[in-house]
């Protein structure tokens, strides 16, 4: 295995809508770790990691070998490990274990219940070893102060190996530890396209914040932070480079658990069927159903615009999702990189925050027509409201017929494979070649301070250790919880 393919990091989301300053990592990334357990191999970044003091979550991008998406009916094993430091421990391990079990595997308000609903059962999780999938606490020879994530990972992996556990036994590894003394500066850390997450929690029995947990597992599935593109008009040529403002349409873009994933994220993971995601190949008018409405109906349009693509979705309240979202949204897909989608926003001066503004003021109203004159593409919102919208797409200058295509699935192509995650070595479309291997975020980049560069190097050592050890033993199912 080649461990020189790159390593990159990206910090998490601030409540300030202008907080996210984005650079696309340039590491080569794989898909989510298979249940068969490919081990992440990472090397340190070229300079110190920057993170704002205002960050609430943090993401680590690992260079991983390409892996296939899990089968729709294949539950992904999640191993949660409680970690004690030399100077900071869980004060009530039994209470913490119960809280963590509910955070990950509870019937409602959990990681499992969220992704089950968002993916309509395509992504399911099962507990790993230990009591209800939670092992520990394990004692590691690491001091809490400094939040050395590399050492935490390495030492925990050694403990698991001593118990006969390794990456053959789980697809995701979550390290939960007392965050009071650690001073991590983030609410969660997750490897993008990998399977590792670090979660600082309360030492006295608290669980994991659900928005943070779903966000970090989103990173594991290959999603970076999702931003918006400010546009001064309806021609896509009038859109500027993203300034880093959160899209607010997904937990990966500053949304809470009240919103689902966006259509491009679902497409990246192969969680929309060919009937649900129509790859538009000719001019037509479509009835676009709610993204989280009934299955086997058109839920997203995938439209070619030169080398890029445009994905159009319609959001409407369904189940526990999207209660504050209503309307059509469009996303620019740079060179087919669905994970790196950016939302088109013609209201850049509006306040889209959920707690103080109008979160869905940026939806495309009926009568609005997006155009790409260079590629002769038009997308007109003919109707928007209720459980469905009507969208007319004109390709190559050919006007779309007025009547909606009720048999749009004939133009659909199956979405069966994952796309490359953001940061796969392609330019970010801005014209800048970012060779730092880092993605920076924060309330204000001027407040950024160096953090955890040494830990990254130790993560690389840990990855090599696990890979070498894994090859010495056969996978064992004996450690799985029933």
């Amino acid at each position: 295995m080649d461990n020189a393919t790159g390593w990159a990091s990206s910090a998490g989301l601030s409540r300030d809508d202008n907080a996210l300053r984005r650079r696309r990592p340039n590491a080569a990334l794989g898909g989510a770790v298979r249940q068969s357990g490919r081990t992440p191999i990472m090397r340190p970044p070229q300079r110190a990691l920057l993170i704002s003091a205002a960050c609430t979550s943090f993401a680590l991008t690992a260079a991983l070998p390409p892996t296939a998406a899990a089968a729709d009916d294949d539950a992904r094993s999640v191993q949660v490990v409680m970690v004690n430091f030399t100077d900071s421990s869980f004060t009530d391990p039994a209470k913490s274990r119960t809280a963590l079990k509910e955070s990950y595997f509870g019937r409602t308000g959990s990681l499992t219940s969220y992704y089950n609903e968002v993916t309509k059962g395509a992504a399911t999780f099962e507990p790993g070893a230990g009591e209800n999938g939670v092992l520990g606490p394990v004692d590691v020879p690491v001091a809490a102060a400094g939040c050395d994530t590399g050492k935490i990972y390495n030492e925990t992996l050694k403990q698991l190996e001593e118990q006969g556990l390794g990456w053959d036994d789980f697809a995701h590894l979550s390290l939960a530890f007392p965050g009071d003394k650690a001073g991590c500066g983030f609410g969660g850390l997750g490897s993008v396209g990998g399977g590792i997450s670090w979660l600082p929690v309360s030492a006295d029995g608290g669980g994991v914040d659900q928005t943070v947990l779903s966000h970090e597992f989103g990173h594991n599935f290959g999603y970076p932070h999702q931003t918006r593109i400010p546009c001064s008009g309806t021609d896509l040529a009038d859109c500027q480079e993203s300034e880093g403002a959160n899209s607010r349409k997904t937990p990966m873009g500053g949304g809470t658990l009240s919103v689902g994933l966006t259509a491009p994220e679902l497409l990246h993971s192969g969680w929309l069927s060919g009937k649900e995601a129509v790859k538009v190949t000719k001019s037509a008018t479509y009835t676009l159903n709610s993204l989280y409405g009934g299955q086997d109906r058109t839920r997203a349009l995938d439209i070619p615009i030169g080398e890029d693509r445009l994905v159009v979705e319609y959001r409407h309240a369904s189940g526990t999702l999207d209660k504050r979202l209503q309307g059509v949204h469009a996303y620019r897909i740079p060179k087919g990189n669905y994970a790196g989608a950016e939302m088109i926003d013609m209201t850049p001066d509006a306040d889209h925050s959920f707690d103080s503004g109008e979160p869905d003021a940026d939806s495309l109203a009926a009568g609005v027509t997006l155009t790409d004159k260079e590629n002769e593409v038009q997308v007109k919102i003919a109707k928007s409201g209720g459980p469905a919208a009507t969208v007319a797409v004109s390709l190559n200058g050919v006007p779309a017929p007025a009547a909606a295509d009720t048999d749009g699935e004939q133009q659909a192509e199956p979405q069966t494979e994952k796309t490359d995650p953001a940061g796969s070595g392609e330019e970010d479309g801005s014209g800048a070649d970012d060779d730092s291997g880092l993605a920076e975020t924060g309330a204000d980049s001027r407040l950024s301070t160096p953090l955890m560069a040494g830990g990254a190097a130790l993560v690389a050592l840990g990855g090599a250790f696990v890979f070498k050890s894994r090859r010495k033993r056969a996978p064992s199912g004996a450690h799985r919880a029933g």
Side-chain angles (χ1 to χ4, degrees):
M1 180 180 295
D2 180 9
N3 66 350
T5 53
W7 191 97
S9 301
S10 64
L13 303 175
S14 165
R15 294 176 65 86
D16 182 351
D17 209 24
N18 292 315
L20 190 60
R21 293 187 57 82
R22 174 179 173 276
R23 292 183 187 173
R24 179 158 306 167
N26 63 353
L29 304 177
V33 176
R34 275 185 266 180
Q35 195 159 322
S36 60
R38 299 295 294 273
T39 304
I41 304 295
M42 299 174 262
R43 67 177 173 86
Q46 299 172 355
R47 58 183 173 87
L49 177 64
L50 300 181
I51 179 173
S52 164
C55 287
T56 59
S57 125
F58 191 86
L60 165 69
T61 302
L64 300 174
T67 58
D72 289 353
D73 58 353
D74 184 16
R76 308 180 64 80
S77 178
V78 178
Q79 184 63 69
V80 185
V81 183
M82 297 167 59
V83 179
N84 282 338
F85 299 120
T86 56
D87 56 352
S88 181
S89 302
F90 286 97
T91 57
D92 190 340
K95 183 179 178 181
S96 294
R97 192 176 298 111
T98 298
L100 287 169
K101 188 261 292 186
E102 289 300 318
S103 294
Y104 283 82
F105 308 112
R107 293 178 63 86
T108 61
S110 69
L111 173 75
T112 297
S113 65
Y114 176 77
Y115 274 98
N116 278 352
E117 183 173 9
V118 166
T119 69
K120 296 186 181 295
T124 60
F125 302 105
E126 66 178 15
E131 184 178 334
N132 297 310
V134 184
L135 277 175
V138 300
D139 299 319
V140 298
V142 180
C147 190
D148 194 328
T149 55
K151 284 187 177 180
I152 296 170
Y153 171 73
N154 292 342
E155 295 300 332
T156 302
L157 258 294
K158 290 179 183 179
Q159 297 269 2
L160 293 180
E161 290 288 333
E162 289 177 1
Q163 298 182 43
L165 290 168
W167 281 100
D168 283 328
D169 300 290
F170 42 78
H172 298 269
L173 175 63
S174 275
L175 309 178
F177 52 87
D180 305 353
K181 293 184 179 181
C184 293
F186 55 78
L189 175 70
S191 56
V192 180
I196 314 169
S197 55
W198 292 256
L199 287 308
V201 298
S202 174
D204 60 1
V208 182
D209 180 271
Q210 285 305 295
T211 296
V212 170
L213 186 57
S214 296
H215 178 101
E216 303 314 329
F217 268 67
H219 285 314
N220 283 178
F221 283 123
Y223 315 140
H225 298 139
Q226 190 179 90
T227 60
R228 61 178 68 221
I229 306 171
C231 303
S232 58
T234 59
D235 190 338
L236 296 181
D238 298 330
C239 299
Q240 308 298 314
E241 179 183 354
S242 173
E243 296 176 353
N246 303 336
S247 74
R248 300 288 181 181
K249 302 301 177 287
T250 164
M252 310 310 297
T256 65
L257 287 185
S258 65
V259 301
L261 299 174
T262 61
E265 290 167 333
L266 296 175
L267 284 166
H268 164 71
S269 294
W271 288 333
L272 288 176
S273 71
K275 290 184 178 180
E276 296 166 327
V278 175
K279 278 195 172 181
V280 178
T281 58
K282 65 179 182 180
S283 299
T285 299
Y286 297 90
T287 296
L288 189 58
N289 296 278
S290 168
L291 187 61
Y292 292 102
Q295 289 177 278
D296 295 332
R297 295 183 178 180
T298 302
R299 295 163 57 193
L301 302 178
D302 189 351
I303 305 164
I305 48 171
E307 294 183 350
D308 297 341
R309 304 196 67 86
L310 188 74
V311 169
V312 179
E313 68 180 14
Y314 179 63
R315 305 290 283 269
H316 177 73
S318 177
T320 68
L321 303 173
D322 292 356
K323 292 182 178 180
R324 300 193 65 185
L325 297 184
Q326 173 70 54
V328 178
H329 304 93
Y331 302 84
R332 185 91 183 214
I333 312 299
K335 298 182 179 179
N337 182 5
Y338 292 85
E342 296 173 310
M343 194 190 75
I344 292 171
D345 179 19
M346 296 189 299
T347 61
D349 296 327
D351 180 1
H352 302 294
S353 60
F354 281 92
D355 52 0
S356 62
E358 300 177 84
D360 211 28
D362 47 24
S363 62
L364 302 175
V368 169
T369 301
L370 291 178
T371 62
D372 185 316
K373 295 179 181 178
E374 180 180 356
N375 294 292
E376 297 186 290
V377 176
Q378 284 191 348
V379 178
K380 181 178 180 179
I381 316 304
K383 179 183 177 182
S384 180
T390 303
V391 179
V393 181
S394 299
L395 299 183
N396 303 315
V398 178
D405 182 355
T406 58
D407 195 25
E409 62 267 23
Q410 291 184 356
Q411 296 185 51
E413 295 183 15
Q415 303 288 339
T416 57
E417 297 182 358
K418 291 189 176 186
T419 64
D420 290 334
S424 59
E426 299 177 359
E427 284 189 295
D428 62 6
S430 65
D433 185 7
D434 177 15
D435 62 358
S436 66
L438 302 177
E440 302 173 1
T441 72
D444 187 334
S445 62
R446 294 171 297 180
L447 302 178
S448 299
T449 53
L451 181 68
M452 296 198 304
L458 290 167
V459 169
L461 294 176
F465 166 79
V466 176
F467 179 63
K468 181 177 181 181
S469 300
R470 188 180 69 83
R471 295 180 62 182
K472 291 182 179 180
R473 55 180 295 275
S476 170
H479 301 285
R480 295 186 186 279

